[in-house]
């Protein structure tokens, strides 16, 4: 550890709320798919700021948009009609089956908007006393009081009682459990199609088909949380397009403005009718600057066929990682992924390997203690993936076998 790093970590500890188990790294600057720490060391970025900087760091076209829009208009507020916001909405709606969008500033806020529109739709449009949202074990939906209550992980709820009413979590991918949880108070089921934080755990097509049928049968909404999987991450604009479904409501955030904070909630016309002037809002949401940047992100994605590129690079990566699993069946339990959201589940705690990867110049995420999660910029080169796989291969070969239970 260098003096610069030590000094910064001490000031961080002394001044910032201690809510993050930070990596042993301080990033000074970044370019493309590379991160540079405060000591000038270079890393291949396989995390993209947690699925945020999908077009890489310091993208020159986005810089052009930021500087142009900064001098033109940064923020006027949602009291006004805004060209940039409308333009972005039209481009986003062209990628999916939704009719309307509400802009906000984060994933949690997008999910709050989804929960609010579901409740208000039931109460005001359908005149039903239905407000409950059913979610799945292992899910992650955010850190606000409502979204942490929706989240299917006990650790995010600890110490925050009393939690808001109207949420039920059921076991993962258990259709009978969802069916049993549905009552006349149920407004919606909310799911991630691939549970990101839980270690890249996809829902099966069969389960999703069953869920869609169940929602239709009971006349409740299906909300899909695409905060992490949205906008090309899985090799299509939206993960739900892989499943061939059209959610009633879905959300995104992380990659929308490639690093500037922005979220969005999409709804079909019928649900959108529940939001009338004064029923929901935000000061910053959909501001001119972030909207202009997100709009340019969509232009670049379309022009450069970023979804196809992510799908192709993802297939290549999965091939390599399946090879690692075959070479180290005792150490790699499973490899899961779609496009460039990939989880490599180890049979043992992954902290040492994850640390060694950082030392070797690769930054990825370790989740649940034993799952290496890769969320690289969608513009990552296959060569970088190959070098990562080669490095991981060496580390797995050198790692001790997991101790048996006995
Ligand atoms: C990150 C994430 C959220 C929360 O987003 P924030 O911007 O941190 O509020 C919600 N859902 C999913 C699936 C996420 O990955």
């Amino acid at each position: 550890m260098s003096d610069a790093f030590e000094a910064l970590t001490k000031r961080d500890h002394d001044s910032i709320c201690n809510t993050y188990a930070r990596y042993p790294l301080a990033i000074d600057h970044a370019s493309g798919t590379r991160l540079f720490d405060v000591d000038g060391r270079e890393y291949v970025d396989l995390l993209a700021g947690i699925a945020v900087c999908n077009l890489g760091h310091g993208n020159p076209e986005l810089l052009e948009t930021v500087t142009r829009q900064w001098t033109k208009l940064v923020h006027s507020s949602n009291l006004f009609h805004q060209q940039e916001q409308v333009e972005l909405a039209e481009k986003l709606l062209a990628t999916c089956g939704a009719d309307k969008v509400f802009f906000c500033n984060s994933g949690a806020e997008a999910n709050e908007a989804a929960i609010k529109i579901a409740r208000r739709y039931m109460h005001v449009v359908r005149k039903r006393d239905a407000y409950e949202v059913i979610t799945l074990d292992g899910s992650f939906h955010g850190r606000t009081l409502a979204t942490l209550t929706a989240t299917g992980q006990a650790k995010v709820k600890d110490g925050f009682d009393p939690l808001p009413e109207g949420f039920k979590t059921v076991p993962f991918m258990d259709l009978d459990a969802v069916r049993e949880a549905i009552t006349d108070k149920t407004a919606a089921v909310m799911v991630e199609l691939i549970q990101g934080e839980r270690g890249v755990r996809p829902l099966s097509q069969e389960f999703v088909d069953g869920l869609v049928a169940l929602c239709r049968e009971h006349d409740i909404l299906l909300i899909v949380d695409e905060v992490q999987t949205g906008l090309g991450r899985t090799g299509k604009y939206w993960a739900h397009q892989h499943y061939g479904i059209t959610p009633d409501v879905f959300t995104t955030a992380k990659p929308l403005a490639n690093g500037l904070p922005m979220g969005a909630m999409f709804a079909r016309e019928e649900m959108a009718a529940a939001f009338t002037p004064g029923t929901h809002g935000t000061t910053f949401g959909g501001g001119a600057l972030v909207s202009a940047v997100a709009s340019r992100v969509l232009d670049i994605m379309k022009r450069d066929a970023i979804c196809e590129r992510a799908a192709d690079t993802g297939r290549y990566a999965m091939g390599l990682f399946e090879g690692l699993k075959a070479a180290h069946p005792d150490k790699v339990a499973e490899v899961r992924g779609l496009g460039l959201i990939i989880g490599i589940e180890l049979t043992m705690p992954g902290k040492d390997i994850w640390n060694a990867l950082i030392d070797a110049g690769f930054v990825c995420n370790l989740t649940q203690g034993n799952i290496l999660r890769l969320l690289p910029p969608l513009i990552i080169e296959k060569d970088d993936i190959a070098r990562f796989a080669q490095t991981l291969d060496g580390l797995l070969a050198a790692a001790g076998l997991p101790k048996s239970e006995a």
Side-chain angles (χ1 to χ4, degrees):
M1 300 285 159
S2 72
D3 291 347
F5 180 78
E6 292 284 354
L8 182 65
T9 55
K10 182 174 185 316
R11 285 167 58 205
D12 184 332
H13 182 82
D14 290 347
S15 59
I16 310 280
C17 280
N18 190 26
T19 56
Y20 305 101
R22 300 212 200 264
Y23 289 9
L25 270 183
I27 304 305
D28 179 77
H29 62 284
S31 175
T33 58
R34 295 295 189 271
L35 303 170
F36 298 86
D37 71 13
V38 290
D39 300 313
R41 286 202 58 201
E42 179 177 334
Y43 302 86
V44 177
D45 183 7
L46 299 170
L47 184 60
I50 320 184
V52 168
C53 304
N54 281 5
L55 301 182
H57 301 275
N59 182 297
E61 289 180 279
L62 297 181
L63 171 64
E64 190 275 323
T65 299
V66 168
T67 43
R68 180 171 41 79
Q69 189 63 40
W70 184 268
T71 50
K72 186 172 179 280
L73 177 68
V74 173
H75 172 86
S76 63
S77 92
N78 282 309
L79 297 174
F80 301 96
H81 297 278
Q82 298 174 68
Q83 308 170 83
E84 296 82 2
Q85 193 178 108
V86 173
E87 207 162 284
L88 171 62
E90 289 170 351
K91 286 177 193 174
L92 283 167
L93 293 173
T95 68
C96 62
D99 299 309
K100 290 276 170 68
V101 56
F102 173 85
F103 290 115
C104 52
N105 313 288
S106 68
E109 269 185 60
N111 288 337
E112 284 273 350
I115 294 162
K116 284 183 72 173
I117 209 170
R119 284 190 176 183
R120 205 173 144 81
Y121 168 72
M122 287 300 174
H123 290 147
V124 177
V125 179
R126 304 296 302 277
K127 313 259 188 276
R128 277 167 56 185
D129 180 26
Y131 54 85
E132 246 171 30
V133 177
I134 297 169
T135 61
L136 304 190
D137 202 37
S139 61
F140 183 81
H141 297 298
R143 300 285 192 164
T144 61
L145 280 168
T147 59
L148 77 81
T149 306
T151 291
Q153 302 187 44
K155 65 180 184 190
V156 311
K157 308 185 196 203
D158 185 45
F160 294 114
D161 287 334
L163 299 177
E165 265 184 72
F167 295 90
K168 268 187 199 164
T169 303
V170 299
F172 182 68
M173 264 213 312
D174 180 343
L175 204 58
D176 289 334
V178 180
R179 188 178 291 114
E180 277 164 32
I182 294 173
T183 68
D184 55 2
K185 301 284 184 218
T186 308
V189 177
M190 177 158 84
V191 297
E192 297 169 83
L193 292 169
I194 301 172
Q195 291 189 341
E197 224 263 329
R198 182 55 187 72
V200 190
R201 211 162 53 150
L203 302 186
S204 69
Q205 181 74 49
E206 189 190 1
F207 177 78
V208 172
D209 288 343
L211 206 55
V212 169
L214 212 48
C215 288
R216 204 164 292 151
E217 181 190 334
H218 292 272
D219 198 14
I220 58 180
L221 305 185
L222 178 62
I223 303 173
V224 173
D225 177 346
E226 298 232 26
V227 169
Q228 188 164 154
T229 54
L231 290 167
R233 173 60 50 191
T234 63
K236 290 185 189 290
Y237 274 99
W238 307 104
H240 66 255
Q241 292 167 336
H242 289 279
Y243 289 84
I245 63 167
T246 307
D248 297 301
V249 172
F250 70 96
T251 56
T252 197
K254 287 185 164 93
L256 185 48
N258 208 64
L260 297 184
M262 190 174 210
M265 187 276 303
F266 298 84
R268 298 202 290 110
E269 188 69 56
E270 194 186 338
M271 285 89 224
F275 272 3
T276 52
T279 54
H280 193 44
T282 150
T283 301
F284 288 116
L289 180 68
V290 286
S291 292
V293 170
S295 202
R296 192 72 181 268
V297 165
L298 282 159
D299 291 346
I300 296 169
M301 285 188 69
K302 192 170 173 185
R303 183 197 64 201
D304 295 350
I306 294 293
C307 291
E308 290 76 5
R309 179 172 173 161
D312 179 53
T313 311
R315 272 190 297 272
Y316 173 79
M318 285 297 284
L320 293 183
F321 300 147
E322 288 294 352
L324 285 184
K325 179 176 178 299
H328 308 279
D330 48 347
K331 293 169 188 164
V332 179
E334 196 175 23
V335 178
R336 300 180 291 267
L338 188 60
L340 285 171
I341 175 169
I342 296 173
I344 302 170
E345 182 164 344
L346 306 177
T347 58
M348 55 197 169
K351 194 84 188 271
D352 290 347
I353 286 186
W354 173 78
N355 262 312
L357 284 166
I358 292 178
D359 287 341
F362 297 95
V363 170
C364 66
N365 173 245
L366 179 70
T367 186
Q368 309 295 321
N370 69 325
I371 305 171
L372 296 169
R373 178 172 54 152
L374 272 53
L375 300 160
L378 305 184
I379 58 163
I380 192 88
E381 297 287 348
K382 286 180 183 171
D383 262 8
D384 292 326
I385 302 277
R387 287 198 304 113
F388 169 81
Q390 198 177 19
T391 304
L392 183 55
D393 186 33
L395 292 171
L396 287 169
L401 272 177
K403 293 194 177 62
S404 68
E405 297 295 304

